Amino acid sequence: MRVTQQDIARLANVSQATVSRVLSGDARVETDIKDRVLAVISETNYQIDVRARSLRSKRTGLIGLVVKRPPGGLNDDPFFANLISHIMDFLAGRPYHLCVEMVSSASSQEAVYDELLRTRRVDGLILVESEARDERILRLQAEGFPFVLIGNPVEERESTIWSVDNDNVLAAKTATEHLREAGYQRVGLLAGPKGITVSDDRIEGYRQGMSGSDCDDLVWHCDFGFIAARDTASDILRSPSRPDALLVLDDFMAMGVVLAARGQGLFIPEDLGVASFNDSSLCDLFERGLTSVSLNIPQIVRTACGRLLKIIEEKPIYGPRRMIIPTELCVRGSTTRRDL
Amino acid sequence: MRVTQQDIARLANVSQATVSRVLSGDARVETDIKDRVLAVISETNYQIDVRARSLRSKRTGLIGLVVKRPPGGLNDDPFFANLISHIMDFLAGRPYHLCVEMVSSASSQEAVYDELLRTRRVDGLILVESEARDERILRLQAEGFPFVLIGNPVEERESTIWSVDNDNVLAAKTATEHLREAGYQRVGLLAGPKGITVSDDRIEGYRQGMSGSDCDDLVWHCDFGFIAARDTASDILRSPSRPDALLVLDDFMAMGVVLAARGQGLFIPEDLGVASFNDSSLCDLFERGLTSVSLNIPQIVRTACGRLLKIIEEKPIYGPRRMIIPTELCVRGSTTRRDL
DNA sequence: CAACCGCGTGAATACGTATTCACATAATAA
DNA sequence: TTATTATGTGAATACGTATTCACGCGGTTG
């Protein structure tokens, strides 16, 4: 039936323990014995039983990715698909696989974390953009569960939680300054729901970019997703005191803004400048290109996953708990006015 | 430390075997004993050890989704993200979790299938849109590995493979006829790479929709992805004998066509009609809406996953091996001419 | 020369569960 | 009453691996 270490041992005239040692690269086994065992292994094309190893070693070889589903919507934002793609690239060739966990409601989120924590189905977790003061993170931490946060752990936890993030404050500041330098007078911000750290950080950066000028009435909040952004932007643009440029929380929402502008006969970039975050493939879908801040997702993923594996394998990690991946403003047509 | 069935047994004054029986819903245990055990279980908040159960029962509780990465590109097509979303919806609350497997090159694909087959890391697989005569599928089948194909298994395997698909021939025929009835004279087709079943099926449907008129010179092939489609469409539209309508393999590619048209000053739908497949959220990104064939992904996923679980659990399945999910043409602005 | 140590290996064990087997007890049939 | 069968439960075992423990052997040290 199935080839086991016992079979290998019999064929190679050694004990099962020795076979196990050879497989785990134990240095103490003699070279000729190791060779003999390896020969048998390759000619029987033996494959280790992941279940048995899991039971014995308490490792599953699975990495969990927890993504949050926007209420009422689907995860059709290219950001998630990209994230998954890059994680799989990183994991390819390593002895780990990706298990995707989706949480929708807050209660289901509680249950999912609880289940993950109790069953230890996965060896570690990548958490994405959690909310500012997430209690669940504290539980993971208290139980010593390996995880890396992609996002901002909020100040008081910076030194105790492994996290990878962009400097969203700086990125938003830079983008805001870019809009102002491009000649826009009333630069507004379309942020996400309140209480989401990534959104709050970018609001802060926007304020800095506005360098003290009173701008609170130019900040709007809106649910994630394309439709919500389109509808909100429609209202914003209809107002007599409408902004002449909008920094938007992500590309997907920015496409909603673009549509709302078109619907009202506003030209981009002349009547309305638009810039956003993520630099996803959506940016090319706007004819002259959408100015967007690249988060450098490949590097974020490399860093986060690399660290997670080290935590799991209890190897030393150098560098600060909180890693900041540099962003890059990609200027395209949506902020390049030709009328000035 | 960790609560085991042994502990439960001790506390409830029964044997570990009885605890196991209670947990698996064995009908033979006496009601009062069952209650006593359940009481102890709930007050200790015991959680079964998935590793041990896996070793013993040969089940992992994991469903694998194999997606193919387009060469050189990323999986930023909303189609995949949608698929994952819906699969997770289906799995939520059931004792299964989703493991994503990505294959890029053909050789890695071989290796991934091989590893999955040998280690049985997952209880079953959902395969998406495989190529027409995929050898790997035969191996899975030969080894009795549970899987369901989302796509077309090609004719000679229809009766032996569980598959869920749309009637792509009919869908393409209907879309083609819609374009012709909308008043377009030279309806073309932008298909995917050769040898992909979904593409071949839609070519066939397109031909039927053109009802015999010679249309081979109106069919173009192109790699997946937005960029490739944009560049190919640019060439097509520059030709003097350009089509005045294009049926495109998917929304993502269609957005590329839209851009190419805009780049040449062509108006949609007046100068060029555009229709495509998937009915993803991208369709709303085109200002007047992109006409698209809805594949009914939620139902595809429900059917495919439901069947996969039945195969895994060896329950009876009613209905044909090949299930056809109806499509629906969603007519929007990109084919609604106002000049006729 | 004796006591000791390092090294490589096999035997034994544990991981936590599901299931088979055996064994009481109670119910039924002769 | 006795023989026979259901029935519910515990004891025992197997799943395949990783690791500890014990042991033998050659070499070093006092």
Side-chain angles (χ1 to χ4, degrees):
Chain A
M1 195 47 228
R2 175 176 185 77
V3 182
T4 71
Q5 292 188 359
Q6 202 58 256
D7 303 326
I8 304 292
R10 205 175 308 120
L11 291 172
N13 265 324
V14 294
S15 72
Q16 176 265 326
T18 301
V19 177
S20 175
R21 282 193 264 261
V22 169
L23 284 169
S24 56
D26 193 314
R28 292 175 308 181
V29 283
E30 293 255 7
T31 315
D32 55 341
I33 291 196
K34 190 197 299 196
D35 291 346
R36 210 165 69 216
V37 170
L38 286 176
V40 176
I41 284 179
S42 75
E43 74 193 27
T44 53
N45 63 18
Y46 161 83
Q47 187 99 20
I48 201 165
D49 186 317
V50 288
R51 293 173 256 287
R53 180 176 46 191
S54 278
L55 175 59
R56 184 54 228 235
S57 66
K58 302 297 170 205
R59 296 272 173 79
T60 62
L62 291 176
I63 299 299
L65 172 72
V66 179
V67 301
K68 208 173 301 177
R69 179 175 191 153
L74 286 168
N75 272 114
D76 43 12
D77 188 334
F79 176 76
F80 286 114
N82 260 330
L83 204 61
I84 291 177
S85 272
H86 284 111
I87 292 177
M88 308 232 31
D89 279 356
F90 181 89
L91 259 30
R94 292 175 216 254
Y96 291 94
H97 299 274
L98 179 65
C99 200
V100 183
E101 317 286 333
M102 188 155 61
V103 293
S104 40
S105 64
S107 64
S108 90
Q109 187 165 358
E110 189 70 44
V112 166
Y113 274 72
D114 193 60
E115 189 258 357
L116 282 168
L117 206 46
R118 298 233 302 256
T119 65
R120 309 247 161 170
R121 266 173 35 224
V122 298
D123 293 338
L125 285 176
I126 299 280
L127 307 181
V128 182
E129 283 183 43
S130 201
E131 281 163 52
R133 282 147 209 288
D134 201 318
E135 289 304 317
R136 291 168 291 272
I137 288 186
L138 291 182
R139 281 195 50 207
L140 291 179
Q141 204 182 1
E143 303 240 14
F145 197 86
F147 73 98
V148 172
L149 175 69
I150 294 183
N152 190 336
V154 308
E155 204 171 330
E156 66 267 30
R157 299 182 193 160
E158 270 185 16
S159 54
T160 56
I161 282 184
W162 295 103
S163 67
V164 180
D165 200 6
N166 301 113
D167 186 339
N168 277 304
V169 177
L170 177 62
K173 177 165 178 273
T174 306
T176 306
E177 286 169 350
H178 163 71
L179 285 167
R180 296 181 73 192
E181 283 162 12
Y184 296 104
Q185 302 297 319
R186 291 178 54 77
V187 176
L189 175 69
L190 182 54
K194 295 182 184 183
I196 306 285
T197 24
V198 62
S199 179
D200 293 348
D201 286 351
R202 289 174 187 172
I203 292 174
E204 170 60 21
Y206 162 77
R207 290 216 174 93
Q208 291 183 13
M210 296 300 279
S211 56
S213 75
D214 184 28
C215 56
D216 283 355
D217 56 335
L218 284 171
V219 176
W220 291 271
H221 291 272
C222 166
D223 270 345
F224 287 113
F226 159 76
I227 304 289
R230 186 190 60 194
D231 297 344
T232 305
S234 285
D235 292 344
I236 296 171
L237 296 178
R238 231 187 303 275
S239 140
S241 61
R242 66 173 181 82
D244 62 351
L246 267 178
L247 180 60
V248 189
L249 190 68
D250 69 41
D251 297 333
F252 208 48
M253 293 169 67
M255 291 307 295
V257 172
V258 167
L259 272 200
R262 278 205 192 119
Q264 297 182 27
L266 298 174
F267 288 104
I268 294 173
E270 286 75 14
D271 302 321
L272 182 73
V274 178
S276 61
F277 293 83
N278 285 13
D279 189 38
S280 66
S281 57
L282 291 174
C283 293
D284 293 317
L285 288 184
F286 174 66
E287 59 254 58
R288 293 189 215 132
L290 187 62
T291 293
S292 188
V293 176
S294 165
L295 307 183
N296 207 340
I297 295 180
Q299 199 182 338
I300 290 180
V301 167
R302 268 200 310 276
T303 309
C305 290
R307 291 183 150 216
L308 182 58
L309 296 198
K310 287 199 172 162
I311 296 172
I312 291 173
E313 293 165 4
E314 298 179 330
K315 290 182 185 164
I317 303 181
Y318 308 104
R321 303 292 267 217
R322 178 159 166 75
M323 287 285 281
I324 302 299
I325 306 301
T327 58
E328 187 183 359
L329 181 68
C330 301
V331 177
R332 299 198 181 84
S334 66
T335 59
T336 312
R337 293 171 69 158
R338 292 160 297 186
D339 58 337
L340 291 181
Chain B
M1 197 44 226
R2 174 175 185 75
V3 183
T4 72
Q5 292 187 359
Q6 202 59 257
D7 303 325
I8 304 293
R10 204 174 308 121
L11 292 172
N13 266 325
V14 294
S15 72
Q16 175 265 326
T18 302
V19 177
S20 174
R21 282 193 264 259
V22 170
L23 284 170
S24 57
D26 193 314
R28 292 175 308 181
V29 282
E30 293 255 8
T31 317
D32 55 341
I33 292 195
K34 188 197 300 198
D35 291 345
R36 212 165 68 216
V37 170
L38 285 176
V40 176
I41 284 179
S42 76
E43 74 192 24
T44 53
N45 63 18
Y46 161 83
Q47 186 98 23
I48 201 166
D49 186 316
V50 287
R51 292 173 256 289
R53 179 175 46 190
S54 277
L55 175 59
R56 183 56 229 232
S57 66
K58 302 295 168 207
R59 295 273 171 79
T60 61
L62 290 176
I63 298 299
L65 171 72
V66 180
V67 302
K68 208 173 301 176
R69 179 174 193 154
L74 286 167
N75 271 114
D76 44 11
D77 188 332
F79 177 76
F80 286 114
N82 260 331
L83 204 62
I84 291 177
S85 272
H86 284 110
I87 292 178
M88 309 232 29
D89 279 356
F90 181 90
L91 260 30
R94 291 174 216 254
Y96 291 93
H97 299 275
L98 178 65
C99 201
V100 183
E101 317 287 334
M102 187 156 61
V103 294
S104 40
S105 64
S107 65
S108 90
Q109 187 165 357
E110 188 70 43
V112 166
Y113 274 71
D114 194 61
E115 189 259 358
L116 282 168
L117 206 46
R118 297 234 301 256
T119 64
R120 309 246 160 169
R121 268 173 33 223
V122 298
D123 293 339
L125 285 176
I126 300 280
L127 307 182
V128 182
E129 281 182 45
S130 201
E131 281 163 50
R133 282 147 208 286
D134 202 318
E135 288 305 316
R136 291 167 292 272
I137 289 186
L138 291 182
R139 281 196 49 205
L140 292 177
Q141 203 182 3
E143 303 241 14
F145 197 87
F147 73 98
V148 173
L149 175 70
I150 294 184
N152 189 336
V154 308
E155 204 171 329
E156 65 266 32
R157 300 183 192 159
E158 269 186 17
S159 55
T160 57
I161 283 184
W162 294 103
S163 67
V164 180
D165 199 6
N166 302 112
D167 186 340
N168 278 303
V169 177
L170 177 61
K173 175 165 179 273
T174 306
T176 305
E177 286 169 351
H178 163 72
L179 285 167
R180 296 182 72 190
E181 284 161 12
Y184 297 104
Q185 303 298 320
R186 292 177 54 76
V187 176
L189 175 68
L190 182 54
K194 295 181 185 183
I196 307 285
T197 24
V198 61
S199 179
D200 294 347
D201 286 351
R202 289 175 187 170
I203 292 175
E204 171 60 23
Y206 161 78
R207 290 216 175 93
Q208 292 184 12
M210 296 299 279
S211 55
S213 75
D214 184 30
C215 55
D216 284 354
D217 56 336
L218 284 171
V219 175
W220 291 272
H221 290 272
C222 166
D223 270 345
F224 288 115
F226 159 76
I227 302 291
R230 187 190 60 194
D231 297 344
T232 305
S234 284
D235 291 345
I236 295 172
L237 297 178
R238 230 188 302 275
S239 139
S241 60
R242 67 173 182 81
D244 63 351
L246 267 179
L247 179 60
V248 189
L249 190 68
D250 69 42
D251 296 333
F252 208 48
M253 292 169 67
M255 291 306 295
V257 172
V258 167
L259 272 201
R262 278 206 192 117
Q264 297 182 29
L266 297 174
F267 289 104
I268 295 172
E270 287 76 15
D271 301 321
L272 183 72
V274 178
S276 60
F277 294 82
N278 286 12
D279 189 39
S280 67
S281 58
L282 290 174
C283 293
D284 293 318
L285 288 184
F286 174 67
E287 59 254 59
R288 293 189 214 134
L290 187 62
T291 294
S292 188
V293 176
S294 166
L295 306 183
N296 207 340
I297 294 180
Q299 199 182 338
I300 290 181
V301 167
R302 268 199 310 276
T303 309
C305 290
R307 291 182 151 220
L308 182 58
L309 297 197
K310 288 199 172 163
I311 296 172
I312 291 173
E313 294 165 2
E314 298 180 332
K315 291 181 183 163
I317 303 181
Y318 309 104
R321 303 292 268 217
R322 177 158 168 76
M323 287 285 281
I324 301 299
I325 307 300
T327 59
E328 187 184 358
L329 180 67
C330 302
V331 177
R332 300 199 181 84
S334 67
T335 59
T336 313
R337 294 171 69 159
R338 292 160 297 187
D339 60 336
L340 290 182

